[in-house]
């Protein structure tokens, strides 16, 4: 019994020493981890296109490329137009918002630089059928101001309306997560000026649109109480991709119908 009594303090002492050693090992590990974090390079959030805001007054062209095609917005005689659509007026407010959105874009953190991973975040080459939307801003002399590919959005817009999305610079595989007011708009219909024909709806009975090439289109209605306009004398073998009776709520003006006819070309 006496031997057992004298052995207990030794065992307790060894257990205490082992616990203290384990505690010091854990503390040492935490110290090394914290030191490594403090020494690791921290990514600095910064504008994706530094200095772009100061150059926006000289903006002269915006090129858009997506898997559905490409088109341009050009400043001609002080007005924004779409050359591919018979120089139909473009939405100047949207052009300005796009330039400002890129100027305000904030780089949050770097992401993958692997080309085979870019399709997963919507940044594969749109010129090759990829899901990305390419935007290139040029000044009035044709010099590039910004060249970017926009990809998938992450989460919802914040309280200020800013979207977090994946982006990369054209010709580079390095991707980033960025925050901006800009949202990808790959379709030419998004850029048309819908208010180009400021005619009160109840005053319009008909109109004729004559494109630079191809036949003219005439739109009429029998009286002002008719909800929709109809297109006369469509060229042989051509038809609209919509029917007016299916879009009563949308066909509210000649401007809308003109835009739709432009898209049919």
């Amino acid at each position: 019994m006496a031997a057992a009594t004298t052995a207990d303090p030794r065992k307790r002492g060894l257990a205490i020493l082992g616990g203290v050693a384990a505690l010091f090992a854990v503390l040492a590990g935490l110290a090394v981890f914290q030191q490594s974090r403090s020494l690791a390079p921290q990514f600095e959030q910064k504008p994706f296109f530094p200095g772009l805001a100061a150059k926006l007054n000289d903006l002269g062209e915006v090129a858009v490329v997506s898997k559905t095609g490409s088109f341009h917005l050009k400043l001609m005689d002080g007005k924004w137009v779409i050359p591919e659509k018979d120089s139909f007026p473009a939405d100047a407010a949207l052009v300005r918002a796009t330039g400002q959105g890129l100027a305000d874009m904030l780089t949050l953190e770097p992401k993958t630089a692997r080309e085979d991973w870019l399709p997963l975040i919507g940044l594969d080459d749109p010129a090759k059928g990829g899901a990305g939307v390419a935007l290139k801003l040029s000044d009035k002399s044709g010099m590039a101001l910004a060249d970017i590919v926009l990809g998938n959005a992450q989460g919802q817009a914040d309280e200020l309306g800013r979207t977090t999305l994946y982006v990369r610079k054209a010709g580079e595989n390095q991707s980033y997560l960025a925050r901006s007011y800009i949202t990808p708009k790959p379709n030419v219909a998004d850029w048309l000026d819908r208010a180009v024909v400021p005619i009160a709806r109840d005053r319009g009975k008909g109109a004729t649109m004559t494109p630079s090439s191809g036949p003219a289109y005439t739109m009429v209605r029998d009286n002002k109480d008719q909800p929709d306009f109809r297109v006369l004398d469509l060229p042989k073998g051509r038809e609209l991709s919509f029917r007016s009776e299916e879009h009563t709520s949308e066909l509210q003006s000649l401007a809308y119908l003109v835009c739709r006819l432009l898209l049919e070309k």
Side-chain angles (χ1 to χ4, degrees):
M1 183 67 100
T5 303
T6 57
D8 288 342
R10 294 176 58 190
K11 290 182 178 180
R12 284 198 299 269
L14 290 174
I16 292 172
L17 289 175
V20 171
L23 176 62
F24 276 109
V26 171
L27 292 176
L30 288 174
V32 171
F33 174 74
Q34 291 178 348
Q35 184 180 31
S36 64
R37 289 192 62 184
S38 64
L39 295 177
Q42 299 295 313
F43 183 79
E44 179 185 359
Q45 297 183 2
K46 56 186 177 181
F48 197 73
F49 291 109
L52 177 59
K55 304 175 183 177
L56 290 181
N57 287 336
D58 199 33
L59 181 63
E61 181 176 334
V62 178
V64 183
V65 181
S66 72
K67 61 183 179 182
T68 60
S70 62
F71 54 92
H72 299 76
L73 312 160
K74 295 195 70 172
L75 187 63
M76 300 179 65
D77 299 324
K79 296 181 179 180
W80 286 97
V81 300
I82 304 175
E84 290 85 353
K85 294 298 177 182
D86 299 321
S87 293
F88 191 84
D91 187 338
L94 179 56
V95 174
R96 289 193 296 270
T98 299
Q100 193 61 53
L102 291 181
D104 294 339
M105 180 175 285
L106 182 66
T107 311
L108 301 180
E109 59 178 301
K111 290 298 184 179
T112 183
R114 289 184 52 168
E115 184 176 4
D116 58 329
W117 284 10
L118 295 180
L120 301 177
I121 52 177
L123 285 178
D124 39 339
D125 190 353
K128 299 178 181 179
V133 177
L135 286 178
K136 182 178 181 180
L137 275 58
S138 302
D139 63 18
K140 295 170 184 175
S141 68
M143 182 175 296
L145 300 176
D147 204 350
I148 189 173
V149 180
L150 307 175
N152 296 341
Q154 185 184 79
Q156 302 296 320
D158 64 14
E159 64 277 4
L160 298 177
R162 298 174 300 181
T163 302
T164 301
L165 70 166
Y166 293 98
V167 300
R168 65 178 175 88
K169 291 185 177 179
E172 299 180 8
N173 289 335
Q174 177 62 59
S175 64
Y176 299 88
L177 200 61
R179 182 181 294 127
S180 174
Y181 291 101
I182 197 170
T183 55
K185 294 187 180 297
N187 302 313
V188 67
D190 297 327
W191 299 85
L192 296 174
D193 184 358
R194 302 298 178 88
V196 69
V197 187
I199 301 174
R201 190 180 189 284
D202 59 358
R203 295 186 59 192
K205 185 176 181 180
T208 298
M209 186 183 75
T210 304
S212 58
S213 61
Y217 297 96
T218 300
M219 301 159 287
V220 299
R221 62 179 175 176
D222 296 330
N223 58 70
K224 67 178 183 179
D225 296 323
Q226 276 191 326
D228 301 325
F229 294 87
R230 53 193 174 89
V231 182
L232 300 179
D233 304 324
L234 277 175
K236 186 177 180 179
R238 298 291 301 277
E239 62 180 20
L240 296 174
S241 63
F242 65 96
R243 293 185 301 174
S244 62
E245 61 269 24
E246 294 177 346
H247 296 267
T248 301
S249 62
E250 295 177 338
L251 297 176
Q252 295 298 315
S253 67
L254 290 177
Y256 182 87
L257 194 48
V258 167
C259 291
R260 290 302 299 260
L261 288 170
L262 280 170
L263 298 177
E264 294 301 316
K265 291 185 59 185

